[in-house]
Amino acid sequence: MGDLFSHLGSGFATALSPANVMYAFVGVSIGTIVGVLPGIGAVTAIALLIPLSFGLNPISGLILLAGVYYGTMYGGAITSVLLRTPGEVSHVVTSIDGYEMARRGRAGPALASAAVGSFAAGTLSTVALMLLAPALASVAVIFGAAEYFWLMLFALAMATSLTTGSRLKAVIAVLLGLAIATVGLDPQTSVPRLTFGILELNEGIDFALFAMALFAVPEALGNLARRAGDAPAIQPIQGRVWMSRQDWRRSAGPYTRGSILGFLIGLLPGIGPTLGAFMSYVTERKLHRGKDKFGKGAIEGVAGPEAANNAGVGGAMVPLLTLGIPGSATTALLLFVFMMYGLQPGPLLFAEQPDLVWAIIASMYVGNLVLLLLNLPLVGLFVRLLRIPTPMLFSGVLTFVVLGAYALSFNLFSLTLVVVFGLLGYLMQRNHFPLAPTVLALVLEPLIEQNLRRALKAAGGDPLELIQRPLSAVIVAGIVGVAAAPPLVHRLRLARRARNPDSRRRDDDMAHSSSATEGNETTDTPIDR
Amino acid sequence: MSTAPPTKHRPHPDVWAGAAVTVGGVGYTAASLAIPAAPSASTILGPSGVPLVIGVGLIVAGAALALGKVRRGRPAPPPGELDSDTKAEEAGGSSGPPPVERRRFWVVTGLLTSYVIAFIPLGYLLATAGFLLALTSYLQPRQVRRNVGYAVVFPLLVYAVFNYGLQVDLPVGLLGVG
């Protein structure tokens, strides 16, 4: 424990330098703005900032980008409460009761509950990360290439199984990401694969460019191609942005439950924070069943989910830092950033780069505090962003995407790929294919192939040896379980509905309330980017 | 006595999506078969191993998606209407967003493509100003002053931030000639 605090102390010494505090502030601010603006998610924001972070040292760059991540977790709550338009998919459930609170003149307490919950849960999850990550890293050294191979497949299996849309489409999305990742020179043999003689493809498809094009371009194209409908009414904020004593009392339990739930679910590779928010809402609703508050402005329906999705960020960072396996599409992008800096997340990172890891962890404490201090007094300013006309907003986004693609490679071919992958993303969205699994698969494929080759080499080419180690067998069993669970749960649910018509009405209400609107990744619920 | 016209069965959109994935999978698999073998005989898993597995997966999954909808024999709704699946997927507590207009979509996509092509030869400032002006003028032609102001100020600000603040050189294009 002494070592832990000494590491944390040195982490704070780095994170609290004026420059790094500024980067945390900038990251959280950008994240909040991105979270407020519809259609621009954390993945797009981080992908656009990657070229800018080239000139920064790794610690500052990662502090900036991590700040963007949890900033978006709060920013989306503002539009959920004031507009009933979630800025992020993880805020869909917040919009149910948050907007009702705003309609009843309680927008201030709703926003305060979201901000305080985000701070509390973010801090708690950072503490949990701080305690769990070193322990997990010390255990993870026993993972061999075979285990890593299966663990990454497990992450992809989770991403396909726990989507609310078609699982088959999620599988296709994963395969698409894997296919795109194979383009370029084979890292082991340097044989060109699927380059069709195009020299620029020898380097493969840049992950940041792909993420920007896949997420931002379809959203921009879709919004620009629609005639403006009636502008949604922005609910006014009456009175102070703060909670009464009763609100505090009612929020305390959901904060605690949401933090625990969000962190634990965020730990699961391939899932991310969004599922935690949904499950927190379901949990709070079940705990308060019969009180007829939910759907009519229950503060518990804001406090729990907002705590869960911020806690999920800390949870998602655990597999990233300790195993090098992203917990979400956003952490997949952070993994890419680590690799761009020449760092490999995993158990050795704690041993070889303790200053970097603990500075990132310490910066999460700092960033959460900045988030609270920034968002409560400045919420009115953020709301004004919602009045930016759609043509200006999304045309600006498109220019940033093209600019970002140029900054990555400085050639016309990459800019062309922006249009190609943007149209691909648009077609995927139109046909309800989730985007996040594609991004996850793209970043994991090189690691999957690398570990598969190492494992086969160690096994002398015998593929059966890949499942003979006990740990490998357990992970494979997990993959089978994850694949088989959704159809089993579905059958159990059908059987329960047949026995109890009341439960069917409740389930239908929940599904109706939590249906996502069209948007960036709202077709991906509950899997986060 | 009049009879109702027979319901015209049109393929579900997933049939086309599945077919496209299958065709793409076939193309990808064919390209994977053309990947040269590893130069070293000791390589256990050659460069085409994983791509072939992915290709076969795409073919199988695409066929499953297409055939699944064909087998269920769902009648597709008349053009312009949503089918029950899409309605269920898009239904929410409030009315959904307005539909995408095809003509606008292709105009916006065409402008984006033109912007991309002109980005390097014209330079960031000219290409971006032209793109923003063209796009905002097409979408909201009455807001002339706002559109022109935005098309001029936004690229200048971004150029200043990137070139002088972040040391990322943006293309100067025609403005750098001479």
Side-chain angles (χ1 to χ4, degrees):
Chain A
M1 191 61 98
D3 275 349
L4 190 140
F5 284 111
S6 113
H7 283 309
L8 187 63
S10 74
F12 269 114
T14 308
L16 288 174
S17 70
N20 286 332
V21 170
M22 183 198 71
Y23 287 123
F25 180 83
V26 170
V28 165
S29 303
I30 292 174
T32 307
I33 291 170
V34 164
V36 166
L37 294 173
I40 308 168
V43 172
T44 307
I46 292 175
L48 288 172
L49 288 171
I50 283 176
L52 308 186
S53 65
F54 285 161
L56 302 176
N57 66 67
I59 292 176
S60 300
L62 285 162
I63 285 174
L64 171 73
L65 298 177
V68 171
Y69 187 14
Y70 42 85
T72 57
M73 290 294 117
Y74 176 68
I78 297 176
T79 53
S80 292
V81 168
L82 299 181
L83 271 180
R84 207 180 185 191
T85 304
E88 292 283 313
V89 67
S90 53
H91 298 287
V92 167
V93 285
T94 303
S95 66
I96 301 169
D97 281 275
Y99 186 70
E100 286 302 316
M101 286 181 71
R103 280 186 59 228
R104 287 165 167 73
R106 284 176 39 83
L111 291 170
S113 180
V116 171
S118 297
F119 169 73
T123 305
L124 287 174
S125 76
T126 307
V127 170
L129 164 68
M130 185 181 76
L131 296 173
L132 188 60
L136 190 54
S138 63
V139 167
V141 289
I142 65 170
F143 280 52
E147 285 77 27
Y148 271 108
F149 168 70
W150 289 119
L151 206 52
M152 286 174 196
L153 289 188
F154 178 73
L156 293 178
M158 293 283 271
T160 57
S161 284
L162 295 181
T163 183
T164 53
S166 162
R167 279 192 308 141
L168 183 54
K169 288 182 180 178
V171 168
I172 291 172
V174 164
L175 290 170
L176 196 58
L178 293 174
I180 292 170
T182 57
V183 174
L185 295 180
D186 178 30
Q188 187 182 28
T189 61
S190 298
V191 167
R193 298 195 297 191
L194 302 144
T195 59
F196 306 106
I198 301 172
L199 283 177
E200 287 89 346
L201 285 179
N202 283 353
E203 300 286 320
I205 305 293
D206 190 286
F207 176 72
L209 182 151
F210 182 78
M212 277 193 290
L214 202 73
F215 284 100
V217 173
E219 196 61 30
L221 290 180
N223 278 282
L224 290 171
R226 289 189 184 98
R227 281 208 188 270
D230 293 332
I234 301 176
Q235 295 300 320
I237 301 172
Q238 299 166 6
R240 291 173 63 208
V241 181
W242 199 239
M243 292 187 279
S244 66
R245 197 172 290 179
Q246 188 186 24
D247 291 332
W248 277 100
R249 195 171 37 80
R250 288 173 60 182
S251 299
Y255 284 160
T256 310
R257 288 186 288 271
S259 300
I260 295 170
L261 201 56
F263 182 80
L264 291 176
I265 291 174
L267 278 179
L268 299 173
I271 302 298
T274 306
L275 180 59
F278 276 79
M279 291 192 64
S280 170
Y281 187 83
V282 170
T283 303
E284 296 306 321
R285 208 172 127 139
K286 282 191 174 155
L287 285 173
H288 296 90
R289 186 176 289 175
K291 295 184 184 175
D292 291 333
K293 289 185 298 187
F294 278 79
K296 296 176 185 170
I299 199 167
E300 294 88 345
V302 174
E306 285 302 310
N309 68 38
N310 268 68
V313 172
M317 294 294 276
V318 172
L320 173 67
L321 293 176
T322 59
L323 299 171
I325 293 176
S328 63
T330 311
T331 44
L333 202 47
L334 291 178
L335 173 64
F336 170 77
V337 174
F338 270 98
M339 295 195 290
M340 187 188 69
Y341 283 129
L343 304 165
Q344 178 58 53
L348 294 180
L349 191 70
F350 278 80
E352 292 170 0
Q353 300 270 355
D355 291 343
L356 173 82
V357 176
W358 288 102
I360 291 171
I361 293 174
S363 79
M364 291 174 73
Y365 285 109
V366 173
N368 272 309
L369 184 62
V370 170
L371 200 65
L372 185 69
L373 296 175
L374 191 71
N375 284 308
L376 283 178
L378 295 183
V379 66
L381 188 64
F382 290 126
V383 167
R384 288 195 191 169
L385 294 171
L386 296 170
R387 302 190 195 276
I388 297 176
T390 298
M392 290 173 68
L393 174 64
F394 287 103
S395 59
V397 166
L398 287 174
T399 63
F400 269 118
V401 172
V402 172
L403 175 59
Y406 178 78
L408 287 169
S409 58
F410 302 99
N411 64 51
L412 175 61
F413 185 74
S414 298
L415 303 186
T416 313
L417 290 182
V418 165
V419 180
V420 170
F421 289 132
L423 288 174
L424 173 66
Y426 180 78
L427 287 172
M428 288 177 70
Q429 261 193 350
R430 281 285 285 189
N431 289 285
H432 307 286
F433 284 81
L435 302 180
T438 306
V439 163
L440 203 59
L442 185 74
V443 81
L444 286 180
E445 194 280 336
L447 299 170
I448 289 172
E449 204 170 347
Q450 181 187 66
N451 283 288
L452 176 61
R453 282 172 158 159
R454 282 184 187 159
L456 284 173
K457 189 172 180 181
D462 181 6
L464 288 177
E465 282 212 25
L466 294 182
I467 55 171
Q468 285 179 0
R469 277 164 55 113
L471 199 48
S472 296
V474 166
I475 299 170
V476 171
I479 293 171
V480 172
V482 160
L488 279 174
V489 166
H490 182 64
R491 284 192 186 176
L492 286 171
R493 195 176 285 162
L494 285 176
R496 190 184 69 172
R497 282 184 180 188
R499 284 195 307 271
N500 185 0
D502 285 342
S503 73
R504 178 180 182 172
R505 276 198 294 277
R506 278 196 294 272
D507 288 347
D508 286 345
D509 286 345
M510 179 65 197
H512 184 75
S513 326
S514 63
S515 296
T517 56
E518 266 191 53
N520 198 5
E521 295 154 81
T522 50
T523 52
D524 295 8
T525 56
I527 306 300
D528 189 16
R529 61 197 73 84
Chain B
M1 186 164 82
S2 62
T3 56
T7 306
K8 196 172 178 182
H9 280 246
R10 292 169 62 246
H12 192 281
D14 281 357
V15 172
W16 298 114
V21 170
T22 306
V23 167
V26 168
Y28 179 84
T29 306
S32 302
L33 287 168
I35 294 172
S40 165
S42 65
T43 305
I44 292 174
L45 182 65
S48 61
V50 169
L52 279 173
V53 171
I54 295 168
V56 169
L58 281 169
I59 294 170
V60 170
L65 182 65
L67 293 174
K69 290 297 181 187
V70 167
R71 212 162 39 88
R72 284 182 210 152
R74 277 196 165 95
E81 279 190 27
L82 299 172
D83 67 5
S84 57
D85 281 350
T86 313
K87 279 181 186 167
E89 284 170 340
E90 294 187 353
S94 54
S95 58
V100 167
E101 292 189 10
R102 210 170 272 187
R103 186 190 147 100
R104 279 165 77 106
F105 173 81
W106 287 115
V107 169
V108 172
T109 304
L111 285 172
L112 175 64
T113 307
S114 305
Y115 175 51
V116 157
I117 293 169
F119 190 85
I120 295 174
L122 284 187
Y124 172 76
L125 285 172
L126 289 178
T128 305
F131 171 70
L132 292 177
L133 186 62
L135 186 54
T136 52
S137 299
Y138 171 69
L139 295 173
Q140 291 185 330
R142 291 183 187 172
Q143 304 284 343
V144 177
R145 273 196 292 185
R146 189 200 74 188
N147 294 341
V148 170
Y150 179 58
V152 169
V153 172
F154 181 82
L156 281 172
L157 270 176
V158 172
Y159 184 84
V161 167
F162 272 70
N163 257 48
Y164 304 117
L166 299 167
Q167 312 294 319
V168 176
D169 289 330
L170 298 180
V172 294
L174 293 179
L175 293 178
V177 174

